[in-house]
Amino acid sequence: MDIFYGIDGTGEDNNDQYAKDFENSHVRTMWRKWHTPIAGYIRGPSLAGTETADRMWNGLRWVKEKWEVQSKLATPAKPTRVFLAGYSRGGAASVALAYHLEKANIPVHALFLFDAVDRSPLLFTDTIPGNVSACYHALRDPRAGSRESFGNCGRKPKASVAYTEKTFFCTHGGVGGTPWKKNGKSGKIEELDTSDKVVATVLGGYAGKKMADEHDFTNVTVAQDEQGSKASWEWMSKNLTIARASKEAEGIGTFGIDGKTRK
């Protein structure tokens, strides 16, 4: 039986607003359309990011519990397989989750990352551990000029990991399935709101304003962000179908064809 656990990206503290903002995120869509009943999902950390480790520990407990139950029911023809997905800081948490699963001798069949970002130095997120069979990582194209201070984690696979990454010309939000809806005065997406710019200027003066400007203006329009977001989803969906391909998946077809809906 296939087990899925997804950790979404950073967002608003308010859970109701977060649910609206991430209703169609790629990780949430994976969870909503997952082909077995054993599927877990958790919202990402708040804007401060202090809950990132907590999201990982929650996932670890959940996956270990499901693994222990399903392993007793598994057969060679229908093995127990773990699939993980994460976006942004949720991607970092998913990498760390795989690391701790390795310590528990639990393999990860596939890990799906959407622009994984680590801003929590205490987590193990740089390297994709050896218990992961395959890892697919969708990344924002540097030419997009989005979240240039973020960097990425989860790009150093162990030798045994089949690792594939691809860049998409869209914002950090677009890669994860939460593309922007409005262009700024520049005609392109601007990722900082007015209050952020004011705070940066008050605290840092001219240097603060200059830094805010550098990290605000992207090279991406709303239309391009939507297109890039769609492309990242299509690419990852194909990889998910490939990762699922086995005797267990025969007759199921492509990802999501069962029509199941989770809310």
Side-chain angles (χ1 to χ4, degrees), residues 23 35-36 43 68 81 167 172 180 191-192 210 232:
E23 181 180 3
H35 62 285
T36 75
R43 61 153 289 170
E68 289 170 3
R81 305 187 303 179
T167 59
H172 176 66
W180 289 73
E191 294 178 315
L192 294 181
K210 186 173 184 295
S232 73

Side-chain angles (χ1 to χ4, degrees), residues 19-221:
K20 292 178 181 179
D21 293 343
F22 284 76
E23 181 180 3
N24 297 308
S25 74
H26 294 339
V27 172
R28 186 173 178 81
T29 301
M30 276 187 169
W31 167 73
R32 196 165 54 232
K33 293 186 175 183
W34 194 249
H35 62 285
T36 75
I38 310 177
Y41 168 89
I42 192 168
R43 61 153 289 170
S46 64
L47 297 175
T50 54
E51 310 92 339
T52 305
D54 180 64
R55 299 294 187 263
M56 184 276 294
W57 291 118
N58 285 339
L60 181 62
R61 287 190 292 269
W62 190 91
V63 173
K64 287 177 69 175
E65 177 185 324
K66 303 303 181 185
W67 172 266
E68 289 170 3
V69 173
Q70 291 303 313
S71 292
K72 296 175 182 178
L73 304 174
T75 66
K78 291 188 176 182
T80 299
R81 305 187 303 179
V82 175
F83 295 76
L84 303 177
Y87 162 48
S88 190
R89 281 176 170 149
S94 296
V95 175
L97 172 54
Y99 170 84
H100 285 283
L101 288 174
E102 182 178 42
K103 290 188 172 297
N105 295 314
I106 297 177
V108 175
H109 188 71
L111 172 60
F112 306 93
L113 299 175
F114 296 94
D115 218 22
V117 172
D118 184 9
R119 302 173 77 81
S120 304
L122 298 179
L123 295 179
F124 299 94
T125 63
D126 281 343
T127 302
I128 306 299
N131 64 323
V132 177
S133 296
C135 178
Y136 307 92
H137 200 165
L139 298 157
R140 65 192 184 285
D141 192 320
R143 295 175 300 173
S146 174
R147 304 299 188 192
E148 293 172 300
S149 64
F150 275 17
N152 285 109
C153 63
R155 299 184 69 184
K156 298 177 182 178
K158 290 287 189 178
S160 60
V161 180
Y163 178 84
T164 304
E165 65 177 42
K166 185 173 181 178
T167 59
F168 298 89
F169 190 78
C170 57
T171 65
H172 176 66
V175 175
T178 59
W180 289 73
K181 304 299 183 183
K182 183 179 179 181
N183 289 321
K185 292 181 179 180
S186 64
K188 304 289 179 66
I189 292 169
E190 298 173 15
E191 294 178 315
L192 294 181
D193 60 28
T194 302
S195 62
D196 291 328
K197 297 176 188 178
V198 170
V199 170
T201 302
V202 170
L203 294 179
Y206 175 77
K209 182 180 183 304
K210 186 173 184 295
M211 184 180 71
D213 288 343
E214 288 174 350
H215 294 296
D216 178 20
F217 301 108
T218 72
N219 301 317
V220 183
T221 65

